[in-house]
Amino acid sequence: MHGTRMLSTREVSEMYGRELVDLRKESRWEFLNTLFSVSEAVAYMQWCSGAGIVLQRKRIMKKLRWVMDGEFWDVDVSTPVTLDGVARPVPVDPLHLGISRGPRFSRPKQIDFFQRFMFMPLVPSFSHYGDVGLSLQRVFSLYRETWFMTLLGQFNVQKFVTSLRTKGFRQESDSSWLQNIRRHLSDQSFYGLNFCSELLLTPDDVLTLSLETHGDQNTPRKKAVFHHKFPLHNLTVEAASPALFVDQNGNYWDVPFSVSMDLAPIASDSGTSCRFCINHTTGNPKPYEGQPTSRIPATILPGLCTKCAVSCKKNVDIWRSEAPKMKMVQPYDIFLSSPHISASGILGAVITASIGENSIRAQVEDGSLNSKGFGLRARGANSAILADLFASASLSAQHGNFQRRFLDLTQFYARLDIPSGSKFLSGATRLACDLYNSETPTMQAVQAICPTASLSFQQQIAGPFSFRIDSGVTIDLKKDLYLSVKDPIFAVEYALQVLGSAKAIAWYAPKQREFMIELRFFET
């Protein structure tokens, strides 16, 4: 318990009301213990009470140990392509910058939650990649105090319908309609299975093993993940065969074998942090099934890559509402209950060392920019070292407390990223020289100083339902419109008020043509 005592039913009733008492009676408390450790579940429910939320937030979040500094690091991408539900982003130099996302549980745990507490016996998903199409998923779970096992099954509705249309209902004159349907359903290619076992070795160590197989695929997907908690860092060691990666163009790649180690700091609002990662891949990457062949990203070619990033983050509250909230009305999401205008900035440096075929990094496109700024590049016969700077600035604004039934939440988030300081400084130097010499600035120099942007807008519709759109925006001076919208995502969110800050999200990505329903926590 780590010094944290269990709440009594009376205390739960006084702090959370009838809803959380019913939650505990309906064994949802037991489910929380499958998501968190016992002490973390207690801390989370204490945090959900909202009492002294401003003072308690940092302390409780440290107890929960979420790693939320994905703002400047590669963060797993949700995808319905596999039953595991995630794909690793293809590493880019120096770092991949993007909007941070809330912590996510494993896909089997999410579906288990939907089945138990949201009356969804089957969870749908859709992807146009390969033969995935529209699928329905269901999970069977068994959990004890230190062990959690799931069997996730998937039925491919689109393949089944296509088979009916192609082969017809009647294939034999002496077969009935139901017998032909049964014969179609017995086709193994319509099904997929994911077996996952999570073992709590010690209070600070968790081992997860998973095996995924599809009836129409010969190679099963195997993954092992080990988590360890240090006082100020979280260690994750992961091995996968094959490992699924996704590049910046939305193309999926299967890498025959990948093993990685990631040492990440726990959450912090401001201050200095350091992150260290090692990744080793073997075998030749192949495009995911059904995708056209494209150029293989150099960073997932066979080899060993180590990356270390040091950054300094600063958060500033420009304005925060001190108006009292509605009494006796719990916000739909406690994290979204404080109107504010705030800004944050990140400045950091990263060094990458690689050995093997992956040391062949893409050259800077702007060949005319001879200056490399503060970037460092060293190459050997089969190795490379790259050092660079990166920076990011964001602005967040919110109106409403998310307590009333209609239009009580409007949130806007904008973020500007400079992923390569050397390229930015090279462009700025060249641009300054052109202006000083009264010359017309070159398009390459102007393009080099243009940051990438990420925008997010969220609006409450009614009650716990809200609409959200996320999108990246890039400046491309070679195009007529100059602005390019990158990977927009449309989502409808349902806030799980009883859990304080949790939500069920149904999102659709029109570019990738993917649809998925997820469970997320602490997402702002």
Side-chain angles (χ1 to χ4, degrees), residues 65 79 117 392 408 464:
R65 297 184 60 90
T79 175
F117 312 121
S392 179
D408 193 30

Side-chain angles (χ1 to χ4, degrees), residues 197 199 206-210 223-227 235-239:
S197 179
L199 181 63
V206 178
L207 176 64
T208 303
L209 303 174
S210 65
K223 180 184 290 188
V225 184
F226 173 75
H227 294 280
L235 173 68
T236 302
V237 180
E238 177 181 313

Side-chain angles (χ1 to χ4, degrees), residues 375-506:
L376 170 65
R377 296 171 183 265
R379 299 182 182 277
N382 205 27
S383 61
I385 297 178
L386 171 66
D388 210 338
L389 302 175
F390 62 90
S392 179
S394 64
L395 176 68
S396 175
Q398 177 181 319
H399 172 73
N401 297 317
F402 208 17
Q403 288 181 296
R404 295 179 174 84
R405 292 184 180 274
F406 301 100
L407 305 179
D408 193 30
L409 172 68
T410 302
Q411 188 184 55
F412 174 76
Y413 180 87
R415 182 186 182 94
L416 296 178
D417 296 322
I418 300 177
S420 175
S422 62
K423 185 176 180 180
F424 177 84
L425 292 173
S426 297
T429 302
R430 181 63 181 272
L431 183 62
C433 291
D434 290 340
L435 295 176
Y436 179 80
N437 296 325
S438 300
E439 298 178 357
T440 302
T442 63
M443 183 181 298
Q444 292 85 352
V446 177
Q447 181 73 58
I449 65 172
C450 293
T452 60
S454 299
L455 304 177
S456 178
F457 176 79
Q458 183 175 359
Q459 176 64 58
Q460 180 192 17
I461 302 173
F465 291 95
S466 61
F467 172 78
R468 177 169 174 169
I469 178 172
D470 295 345
S471 179
V473 178
T474 58
I475 299 176
D476 192 346
L477 300 180
K478 298 178 182 179
K479 295 184 178 181
D480 295 335
L481 298 178
Y482 296 149
L483 292 179
S484 177
V485 178
K486 182 180 179 182
D487 301 332
I489 298 178
F490 302 91
V492 175
E493 300 185 355
Y494 177 80
L496 303 173
Q497 186 178 21
V498 71
L499 294 180
S501 182
K503 62 185 71 176
I505 303 178

